Amino acid sequence: MLELHDAPLAPLTTFRLGGPATRLVTATTDAEVVAAVREADADGTPLLVIGGGSNLVIGDKGFAGTALRIATSGFDLAGTTLELAAGEVWTDAVARTVEAGLAGVECLAGIPGSAGATPIQNVGAYGQEVSATISEVIAYDRRTGETVTLGNGECAFSYRHSRFKADPERYVVLRVRFALEDAGGLSAPLRYAETARALGVAPGDRVPLEQARETVLKLRAGKGMVLDAEDHDTWSAGSFFTNPILADADFAVFHARVRERLGEDAVPPAYPAGEGRTKTSAAWLIDKAGFTKGYGSGPARISTKHTLALTNRGEATTEDLLALAREVVAGVREAFGVTLVNEPVMVGVGL
């Protein structure tokens, strides 16, 4: 294992923000990951697990403890069963499944980060979520000191949530197994209207896998959601807020606020989210509350390509970013009575 002290963490995050860790350990095998976690737990040392760093907001003071960077590798494909090491680059893994002619994660192309983070957040985009294809998650259980295998049903997946996110101090993901589909080189049925429109097909249709992947990459790039070191719109964590899910009664109150603010004919986005619940769009809320693309005058601003991404324009601090996030949260709450919730994990800071 590679070990550094007083190590900068900002370069390990897509925001490029955050202070140093007391100690940074880079593990390249599952055994090294487990050993590092056990050592920290035995010593009572705070532990921060880092994969691709695409979903982290680290405070300017850094992390007083051991930061464990998981850099394991492994792409094992047997028929339609795929096992990925936690440290595998997710977008590269998606490209390889498409090359292999297997469907199920092609619309998750271009998402930054590592494979091990995908079950934690139940990563999803453009009509797909990893929960639809994950069969098992192999993780180190810090409570029992054992490596365990959790089936899909044990992972408690929901919208941008899971058992692992609900209990972040318990599990460290080591490997993820996926059950993909051989559809003769075609994608899974397209579930997202924007993707279907871009491809000139109807929702529910299938298209060639590579065509689906390339279309998603173009859509994401147009919103600044594909990493590019030269483009500050991608110095972000992607979507900073989750889409609010409201009980029907709360949605009715929200709809009334929308009409009051925007006019009687105004209709907010609404998507079924289970019995008695409706999901609306965080991006729409932000925009209609007056926080348009490029909003801000400081070093942290809303992306010029997508209102849901908060960005570091190059000289920002984490406090700059949080000040902007708090302004957006307060503005949306005042305008529509809805409180936005951050999607990235906060380390040493909070809204």
Side-chain angles (χ1 to χ4, degrees):
M1 286 188 288
L2 176 65
E3 181 176 328
L4 299 172
H5 294 269
D6 195 27
L9 295 180
L12 302 182
T13 74
T14 52
F15 264 124
R16 295 169 170 80
L17 294 176
T22 305
R23 176 173 175 254
L24 172 65
V25 173
T26 299
T28 58
T29 68
D30 290 354
E32 289 182 350
V33 172
V34 171
V37 175
R38 283 178 172 163
E39 178 186 1
D41 289 347
D43 295 341
T45 303
L47 180 70
L48 171 63
V49 178
I50 300 177
S54 61
N55 203 45
L56 281 179
V57 177
I58 298 173
D60 292 318
K61 292 182 179 179
F63 183 71
T66 295
L68 170 60
R69 178 173 172 260
I70 297 182
T72 55
S73 60
F75 181 101
D76 299 310
L77 187 61
T80 57
T81 299
L82 172 65
E83 182 176 294
L84 292 177
E88 281 289 325
V89 176
W90 174 251
T91 193
D92 292 347
V94 171
R96 292 178 69 177
T97 67
V98 169
E99 289 173 5
L102 298 176
V105 295
E106 61 280 357
C107 291
L108 302 177
I111 295 177
S114 61
T118 60
I120 298 171
Q121 191 75 0
N122 186 17
V123 164
Y126 294 96
Q128 289 183 343
E129 289 183 331
V130 291
S131 57
T133 51
I134 288 177
S135 58
E136 294 177 324
V137 175
I138 297 91
Y140 176 68
D141 185 342
R142 297 170 68 184
R143 184 177 301 172
T144 66
E146 298 176 349
T147 296
V148 296
T149 299
L150 302 173
N152 183 288
E154 298 174 277
C155 296
F157 289 123
S158 60
Y159 172 65
R160 301 297 178 272
H161 203 69
S162 70
R163 178 177 185 171
F164 313 105
K165 189 173 182 179
D167 194 358
E169 300 299 318
R170 180 167 182 179
Y171 297 101
V172 177
V173 175
L174 301 174
R175 295 183 173 268
V176 187
R177 292 184 181 133
F178 298 83
L180 303 176
E181 178 189 8
D182 185 348
L186 296 179
S187 69
L190 298 172
R191 304 298 184 194
Y192 201 69
E194 183 183 15
T195 314
R197 283 196 303 270
L199 285 159
V201 300
D205 286 351
R206 296 177 184 260
V207 297
L209 277 164
E210 185 58 36
Q211 193 176 354
R213 174 178 171 271
E214 288 297 326
T215 298
V216 166
L217 287 173
K218 288 177 183 177
L219 290 171
R220 290 185 65 87
K223 300 173 184 177
M225 299 291 185
V226 176
L227 294 182
D228 179 351
E230 302 302 317
D231 182 359
H232 284 284
D233 279 331
T234 74
W235 290 33
S236 76
S239 299
F240 196 87
F241 300 103
T242 58
N243 289 322
I245 296 177
L246 306 176
D248 286 347
D250 294 330
F251 188 85
V253 173
F254 160 61
H255 195 176
R257 292 281 291 268
V258 169
R259 291 196 300 268
E260 178 183 339
R261 181 180 178 90
L262 303 178
E264 285 299 318
D265 295 331
V267 179
Y271 311 96
E275 185 175 356
R277 303 198 308 166
T278 302
K279 180 167 65 176
T280 192
S281 166
W284 186 92
L285 286 166
I286 293 166
D287 180 71
K288 298 303 182 184
F291 303 100
T292 53
K293 294 174 184 176
Y295 177 88
S297 58
R301 303 179 196 175
I302 290 177
S303 166
T304 66
K305 300 181 180 70
H306 200 295
T307 54
L308 201 48
L310 308 187
T311 67
N312 171 11
R313 308 317 292 184
E315 300 295 332
T317 64
T318 301
E319 280 305 310
D320 293 328
L321 175 75
L322 294 175
L324 175 62
R326 291 171 186 138
E327 183 183 2
V328 171
V329 170
V332 169
R333 185 189 298 118
E334 181 181 359
F336 299 113
V338 175
T339 299
L340 295 176
V341 176
N342 54 284
E343 186 168 327
V345 174
M346 302 283 182
V347 178
V349 292
L351 294 184

